Every structure is written in C-alpha cells, then in structure tokens.
Amino acid sequence: MGQNNHTSLHGFILLGFSDHPKLEMVLSGVVTLFYFVTWVGNTAIILASLLDSHLHTPMYFFLRNLSFLDLCFTTSIIPQMLVNLWGPDKTISYVGCVAQLYVYMWLGSTECLLLAVMSYDRFTAICKPLHYLVIMNPHLCLKMIITVWSISLAVSVLLCTLTLNLPRCGNNLLDHFLCELPAMVKIACIDTTTVEMSVFALGIVIVLTPLGLILISYGYIAKAVLRIKSKEGQQKAINTCGSHLTVVSIFYGTIIYMYLQPGNSASKDQGKFLTLFYTIITPSLNPLVYTLRNKDMKNALRKLVTVDRESTKSKRGQKS
C-alpha cells in the first residue's frame, strides 16, 4: 500500500519512443502538423455548419459533435505528448495521468457509439426520406447525443476505476506515450486475468455492438440504393454515405486490430504506432473525408472563407 502511495506522489514515467531519440524528433514535427490540421479542419466544420442555415440538419448536427469530439480527443493527448517528445523529462503527474486515462477512455467510447448513431441517421435519410425530418427531430437528436456521452462516461468510470484500483507495487514506468488502459493494467503486480477479461468483454460491447448496428444500417441502405432507378440519385446516396463509411472503416479497423486481439500478439512498437494513428492521424483525416465528397460542406466552407476575407478587408479599410 505504501508503494502505491509512492506512485501517487511521484506520478508516472511515459517511456513512449524514448529508445528511438531520432524518431522522437521526427514524430514531434509530424504530431504538431497533424494537430494543427485537426484543429483547423474540425473548427472549420463546426463554424461552417453553424453559420450556414442549409446545414442545420440532423446529419450536420452529428458531424459537429464528431468534430468537437475529435478536438477534445486530440487535445487530451497531444500537448502532454509534445512536452515528452521535446525534452528529456518523460514524467506525467498522477492527477494528470488519471485525468487522461478517464477522458481518453470516455471520448474513445463516445466516438464508437456516435458513429453508430450517425449510421442510423443515414439509414433514416435514405430508407425513409419522406419521414426523415419527422423521425430525426431535434429532440430525438439531442436525446441520442446525451445518451451516447452518458453511456460512454459510465463505461469509462467503470473500467478506469477498476484499473486504478489494481496494486502496482511502486511500478510507475508506462511503456507508452499516454496513460492508456492496457498500459496501466500491464504495470499491476498481481494476476490481471479477471480485469483483462472484463475489459475485453466490455470492449466487445462498446466496439462490436455499434459496429454491428452500423453494418445492419448499411445493409438496408445498400438495398435502398439499388432500388433507386436514376444514376444521379444513386450517386447522391453513395456520396452521402461514402464519407461516413470511410471514417468508420479507418476508425473501427484500427480499434479492432488493436484491442480485440489476444494477449500480447502485437509488438509494443506496433501497438504504439497504431495508437498514434487512430488518436492523432484519424481525427485530422475526418474533416478531409467529409468535405471532399460533400458539395454542401464545400459551399459552406467557401462562404466562411469569403466572410472572413470581407471582414478583414473591412477592418483594413476602417484603419486606413
């Protein structure tokens, strides 16, 4: 117990990529770049969809939530990671590590469920177009979002509390660049089979259940698209769903490979790079994916840029 208190006082050491000093220098630049892209891209989506009245629909309401989620997700990880990459100090305080653990788990679970909600929205839009706005009314959309965030918070509290209560016998070396649940379980000094099985079981529920709902939704969507006679209508439906399906494939593909595999089958460096991919690179790709094939979002972003330029010119005119 005393040794656990020692860990609590002195925090943890995030080993990250410290055994590859040259790689750390490269990664710091790459991570900074992707963080900047994430902030610019997701902030632009939030502002454009808020300011353009044509985008005040359920689809863009959920997209705003996804963009906000990605901003929070990356911000909970990258600042601390950059501090550790830039200097010799690899420590993180106990409070900081616990906060990161809970927030990371909460936001990761939320994204899994949110992507399932977004697929239901696309299913309703394509399979029940005449009743879409009646079914996906603002009250239901808000209710769904609150439920998603609440369930994810409950899962995070349960799993993270269970993990933090494991005795660590003074072990404070985390072989990762963030305070992640599997890394915390590994430094426990008792048999963690029960905890690992609990994490695995809840992982199946929080990852595979939403994925199952997404696949079912897209099964019905595929049938509906095939029944559309006009090629233009089919193309519009494919464009509407293509962006979401791309994001789902990237996010869930990496998550499933990472977490739903037995034991230590992946190498430690492979695990770190996969975590780096879905926590840092994926959030920066989402705005790109959603704007490339979406004319409405492109137009809204053009308007946002035009408004910004006009306001800048107006300010310069007033100064002169």
Side-chain angles (χ1 to χ4, degrees), residues 16-264:
F17 300 96
S18 55
D19 50 344
H20 305 290
K22 291 181 180 178
L23 179 62
E24 281 189 320
M25 294 174 65
V26 175
L27 279 177
S28 64
V30 172
V31 169
T32 303
L33 175 64
F34 275 101
Y35 189 42
F36 176 75
V37 171
T38 299
W39 262 96
V40 171
N42 285 290
T43 303
I45 284 181
I46 292 170
L47 291 176
S49 61
L50 280 173
L51 296 174
D52 193 328
S53 57
H54 295 100
L55 302 185
H56 291 176
T57 62
M59 175 183 170
Y60 293 103
F61 170 72
F62 293 126
L63 182 55
R64 279 197 301 274
N65 270 271
L66 180 64
S67 292
F68 174 72
L69 175 65
D70 283 339
L71 288 176
C72 295
F73 196 48
T74 51
T75 302
S76 70
I77 301 160
I78 294 180
Q80 178 65 48
M81 183 184 179
L82 288 176
V83 168
N84 292 344
L85 285 173
W86 285 338
D89 185 15
K90 309 296 180 186
T91 60
I92 181 172
S93 69
Y94 179 79
V95 173
C97 187
V98 169
Q100 190 180 73
L101 181 69
Y102 277 97
V103 172
Y104 180 81
M105 187 69 193
W106 181 24
L107 298 179
S109 302
T110 302
E111 185 148 359
C112 290
L113 298 177
L114 181 57
L115 289 173
V117 168
M118 292 173 78
S119 72
Y120 176 74
D121 171 66
R122 293 300 80 213
F123 158 76
T124 311
I126 291 170
C127 299
K128 300 178 182 179
L130 298 177
H131 302 95
Y132 174 60
L133 292 177
V134 176
I135 296 171
M136 300 301 293
N137 59 76
H139 180 69
L140 178 65
C141 292
L142 184 60
K143 217 173 181 178
M144 291 171 87
I145 285 297
I146 291 171
T147 303
V148 162
W149 284 85
S150 301
I151 291 173
S152 303
L153 179 61
V155 169
S156 173
V157 169
L158 177 64
L159 288 180
C160 295
T161 303
L162 193 65
T163 302
L164 287 171
N165 282 332
L166 291 171
R168 292 180 293 275
C169 305
N171 297 331
N172 69 340
L173 294 176
L174 289 173
D175 192 13
H176 218 307
F177 58 82
L178 57 87
C179 293
E180 193 187 29
L181 197 137
M184 295 290 286
V185 171
K186 282 180 184 176
I187 63 170
C189 57
I190 60 166
D191 182 16
T192 58
T193 305
T194 306
V195 176
E196 286 178 14
M197 291 304 294
S198 301
V199 171
F200 185 79
L202 270 173
I204 289 175
V205 172
I206 209 75
V207 175
L208 294 190
T209 302
L211 182 58
L213 294 172
I214 290 169
L215 293 175
I216 291 168
S217 296
Y218 275 103
Y220 282 108
I221 287 170
K223 286 182 181 179
V225 170
L226 290 173
R227 286 198 296 266
I228 298 173
K229 293 179 180 179
S230 68
K231 286 186 178 180
E232 188 182 339
Q234 284 186 341
Q235 191 60 45
K236 187 177 179 182
I238 290 169
N239 286 343
T240 303
C241 298
S243 303
H244 178 254
L245 201 53
T246 304
V247 170
V248 166
S249 301
I250 294 170
F251 182 78
Y252 272 99
T254 316
I255 289 285
I256 289 169
Y257 185 81
M258 269 291 298
Y259 290 105
L260 300 183
Q261 56 181 326
N264 299 317

Side-chain angles (χ1 to χ4, degrees), residues 298-312:
K298 282 180 184 177
N299 292 334
L301 289 171
R302 284 194 195 102
K303 286 179 186 177
L304 185 65
V305 172
T306 304
V307 169
D308 185 53
R309 282 177 181 171
E310 287 177 356
S311 64
T312 303

